[in-house]
Amino acid sequence: MSCIPLNVVVVGGSIAGLEAAFKLAEHGHQVTVLEMREEGNFKGGSLRSPPNMTRLFHLSDLGETVLRERATRCRSMAFRSATDCELLGNMKFSDALMKEFDAEYYLVPYEDVHNLLIKLCKRENVFIRYGSYVERIQETPNGCAAYLSNGDAFHADLLVVADGRNSTLREIVAEDEVTPTSDAWALRFSFPYSELRKNPQLSIFDKPNEWVMVAAQDCVISLSIHPVQDQVHVAVGFTSEVTDTSSCFETMDERIQALLALNPDSHKIRLEHFQDVETEEWVGLNSRAVLIGDAAHPSLANGCYNTSMAAEDGVVLGQLFANITSPLQIPFLLNAFQEIRQPHTTAISRSDHMRFMLMTLPPGEEATTQRDAALSATLVNVPEEEIDLGESEVLAMLWSEFIQTYSYDSVEAADEWLSVWGRKVEEYV
């Protein structure tokens, strides 16, 4: 089946937008990306690449190169207490376990992932226009149009809105079917890995193959190390807005305080505010526009699967449009995209929020004691396949979430839908 080339405009040049642009262009469509930021202004911290995302890296030679030269393999997820740095649990990603998923778990610098997608887009002749703020979008007789703040207009058969969690276009596409669900605040910073290694007090954290989560009352701290970058990335997520972070940290173990003191901007701390929303409809503007990534399903600040969910959106969308033969099929395929992705992203998001709440419980409460007891089961030297998940609801939730998420194959998800409904799609010509 031959694919008719569509004129596609993607609003937003971060992970979701670029992945969608690359995959759509790879399947023969003409793609333009409109990015608000200037070229080169894409710095970031550490991204987690669980097996479901790592398999996407393996789909290209450039992705393989990034994993080989820039990524750090994550071999375990360590949970520590902020009060005394006690090791509460350590979920190991053993060779045997990762073999089951046919991919490894990596920690990858954001900048490297973004640069990879830029190169892949350029390889497929995607036009990326930087410094382009999309002020409004609207239906046109033959599709959609995006209008920049300077008056320039871009017309499209298909409009992909990937302008992030603070999307200014979400409510236009969703027709106001947007419900705020929760708020979170985050502090993120990086510092040279050499600084951590200078301080013997911080040797407990000097494990580049370990992703660390520190449980504290009303906040959770995560840490990852990138030796190739000579960078340590730290993120602190708060359950409520905090005006004085020092008061939150002063009761923590002195090693945690020493770690947080390495923040190069500690004198001018500003917390980022993240509001999560539920968007009932991802498809709009006469079914010619679609929300993807955080514009569709804002993920938890510093969550485990932010990047993988964004990348999977792009892959599924591209795969669905691989063999389109008529513009009349666009509404059908966009609704298929939402049907495939919305249940999955909703489940993952809720699981991420549940883990965040578990990690921010106050000490001394029964729920906290149950959490710590469950996590301690991961410290026993038992092969993963022999762990009895029935012994603990918390432990079962953690491992079952990993298995469900790591096993997800975005290409397969799209192909399965097409195998059932593909004939019906072909009727729309």
Side-chain angles (χ1 to χ4, degrees):
M1 185 188 303
S2 59
C3 169
I4 63 159
L6 298 175
N7 180 25
V8 182
V9 171
V10 178
V11 181
S14 193
I15 304 299
L18 291 177
E19 185 71 59
F22 162 56
K23 285 299 179 182
L24 287 163
E26 188 179 43
H27 291 303
H29 302 293
Q30 300 170 346
V31 184
T32 297
V33 176
L34 303 175
E35 168 52 43
M36 178 175 64
R37 291 168 291 184
E38 297 296 336
E39 185 173 6
N41 188 24
F42 294 90
K43 306 298 180 183
S46 172
L47 298 183
R48 302 172 187 92
S49 179
N52 51 305
M53 181 169 171
T54 299
R55 287 193 294 273
L56 302 182
F57 278 97
H58 291 317
L59 295 178
S60 73
D61 57 327
L62 292 177
E64 295 272 10
T65 300
V66 169
L67 291 179
R68 185 172 59 253
E69 298 180 359
R70 302 292 296 173
T72 301
R73 181 180 170 189
C74 181
R75 294 183 178 273
S76 67
M77 183 187 301
F79 300 88
R80 293 187 176 276
S81 167
T83 55
D84 54 10
C85 270
E86 176 189 359
L87 185 62
L88 301 175
N90 194 5
M91 303 185 75
K92 298 181 178 65
F93 305 134
S94 67
D95 292 340
L97 183 62
M98 293 297 100
K99 187 176 181 180
E100 292 295 316
F101 299 117
D102 197 30
E104 300 288 352
Y105 197 128
Y106 287 99
L107 301 172
V108 194
Y110 173 88
E111 192 173 353
D112 289 316
V113 178
H114 190 269
N115 289 340
L116 162 67
L117 289 172
I118 291 291
K119 291 176 183 177
L120 290 172
C121 282
K122 288 182 176 179
R123 179 187 280 185
E124 299 297 333
N125 298 313
V126 172
F127 173 61
I128 304 176
R129 175 165 167 166
Y130 297 98
S132 300
Y133 176 69
V134 177
E135 199 167 62
R136 61 187 175 93
I137 55 176
Q138 66 181 47
E139 296 177 35
T140 64
N142 297 312
C144 294
Y147 297 89
L148 304 187
S149 54
N150 66 0
D152 289 353
F154 289 80
H155 294 266
D157 300 309
L158 169 62
L159 182 67
V160 180
V161 177
D163 59 340
R165 67 166 49 250
N166 297 319
S167 173
T168 59
L169 308 174
R170 179 187 292 127
E171 294 190 0
I172 300 175
V173 177
E175 296 182 352
D176 298 324
E177 294 295 326
V178 178
T179 306
T181 56
S182 63
D183 291 270
W185 287 261
L187 166 66
R188 296 186 281 193
F189 64 92
S190 303
F191 59 86
Y193 178 34
S194 53
E195 291 298 314
L196 183 145
R197 304 191 75 180
K198 286 179 187 177
N199 189 341
Q201 190 180 27
L202 299 179
S203 60
I204 191 173
F205 300 117
D206 190 6
K207 298 176 182 179
N209 298 112
E210 186 174 270
W211 169 29
V212 180
M213 293 185 71
V214 180
Q217 182 173 351
D218 298 327
C219 76
V220 59
I221 303 166
S222 66
L223 174 147
S224 60
I225 298 173
H226 293 271
V228 174
Q229 270 193 317
D230 184 36
Q231 287 287 295
V232 177
H233 299 293
V234 177
V236 187
F238 297 88
T239 58
S240 59
E241 188 171 13
V242 176
T243 55
D244 180 13
T245 56
S246 61
S247 63
C248 297
F249 303 149
E250 63 187 9
T251 59
M252 296 182 183
D253 185 276
E254 60 182 12
R255 288 165 290 187
I256 302 290
Q257 294 188 51
L259 173 71
L260 297 171
L262 290 173
N263 179 5
D265 295 320
S266 58
H267 62 289
K268 53 176 182 178
I269 290 177
R270 182 179 63 84
L271 299 186
E272 298 174 79
H273 176 222
F274 297 88
Q275 183 178 67
D276 292 338
V277 300
E278 285 189 359
T279 307
E280 185 175 336
E281 293 297 332
W282 295 1
V283 179
L285 297 187
N286 202 25
S287 295
R288 288 300 191 96
V290 63
L291 300 168
I292 70 170
D294 276 349
H297 47 84
S299 47
L300 178 70
N302 307 320
C304 296
Y305 307 112
N306 308 36
T307 310
S308 61
M309 286 198 292
E312 286 170 350
D313 279 359
V315 172
V316 170
L317 188 66
Q319 195 70 11
L320 287 173
F321 280 80
N323 295 302
I324 187 172
T325 57
S326 167
L328 295 176
Q329 297 167 357
I330 293 175
F332 205 70
L333 293 172
L334 290 186
N335 282 287
F337 170 77
Q338 179 172 344
E339 179 184 327
I340 294 168
R341 292 296 294 160
Q342 193 173 51
H344 183 73
T345 58
T346 299
I348 296 303
S349 179
R350 287 174 180 170
S351 180
D352 239 356
H353 278 86
M354 179 65 73
R355 183 176 48 256
F356 178 70
M357 297 310 297
L358 279 171
M359 295 297 288
T360 56
L361 292 170
E365 292 197 356
E366 183 179 354
T368 310
T369 302
Q370 292 176 348
R371 177 201 69 190
D372 295 349
L375 290 173
S376 68
T378 65
L379 298 175
V380 181
N381 191 22
V382 177
E384 287 84 351
E385 62 272 16
E386 296 180 17
I387 293 175
D388 184 3
L389 299 183
E391 293 182 355
S392 164
E393 289 185 8
V394 175
L395 196 60
M397 184 202 75
L398 289 170
W399 277 113
S400 61
E401 171 201 315
F402 290 159
I403 293 168
Q404 175 193 2
T405 308
Y406 297 176
S407 301
Y408 187 85
D409 188 310
S410 44
V411 174
E412 188 177 281
D415 286 346
E416 284 182 0
W417 188 92
L418 289 169
S419 70
V420 175
W421 297 102
R423 295 285 186 185
K424 188 69 176 177
V425 174
E426 292 173 19
E427 295 177 8
Y428 292 81
V429 293

